[in-house]
Amino acid sequence: MTTADRAARLANTVLTVAVIPLLHRMQNELDRNGTLRRGTQMMMWAAYATFGVLLTESLARHRDVPTGRRGTTLAGAGMTPFDSPQ
């Protein structure tokens, strides 16, 4: 395992641990209000974007996996169901 692989795994672990309170906050807000507050939405999108960056960077190191526009499109498609109408 390379240093870059270790760094990516560490970053992913730290982000995952940091997102657990966000998931609880999201659940509480949805249970109470039926919607998410603006700050919670922003934190959620930031977490998704960070995961997307980590995923894209990880996939870029493996040449047999398609990256670029397809990877970005896939990440965006995965986030779209969470978009809330304004």
Side-chain angles (χ1 to χ4, degrees):
M1 180 182 301
T2 67
T3 302
D5 289 334
R6 283 190 209 113
R9 283 189 182 190
L10 177 62
N12 195 12
T13 301
V14 169
L15 183 61
T16 300
V17 170
V19 166
I20 292 172
L22 174 60
L23 293 174
H24 288 291
R25 178 178 173 169
M26 291 168 63
Q27 184 65 51
N28 289 337
E29 288 180 16
L30 288 172
D31 288 344
R32 278 190 230 135
N33 308 324
T35 188
L36 298 175
R37 293 183 302 168
R38 173 66 67 193
T40 304
Q41 291 176 19
M42 292 173 61
M43 288 171 42
M44 179 189 73
W45 281 104
Y48 286 135
T50 304
F51 272 122
V53 168
L54 289 172
L55 175 64
T56 302
E57 191 274 327
S58 176
L59 292 175
R61 283 187 267 121
H62 301 283
R63 299 287 182 217
D64 56 335
V65 179
T67 58
R69 287 186 184 179
R70 278 192 264 176
T72 303
T73 301
L74 179 62
M79 292 187 294
T80 301
F82 297 102
D83 189 18
S84 62
Q86 295 299 320

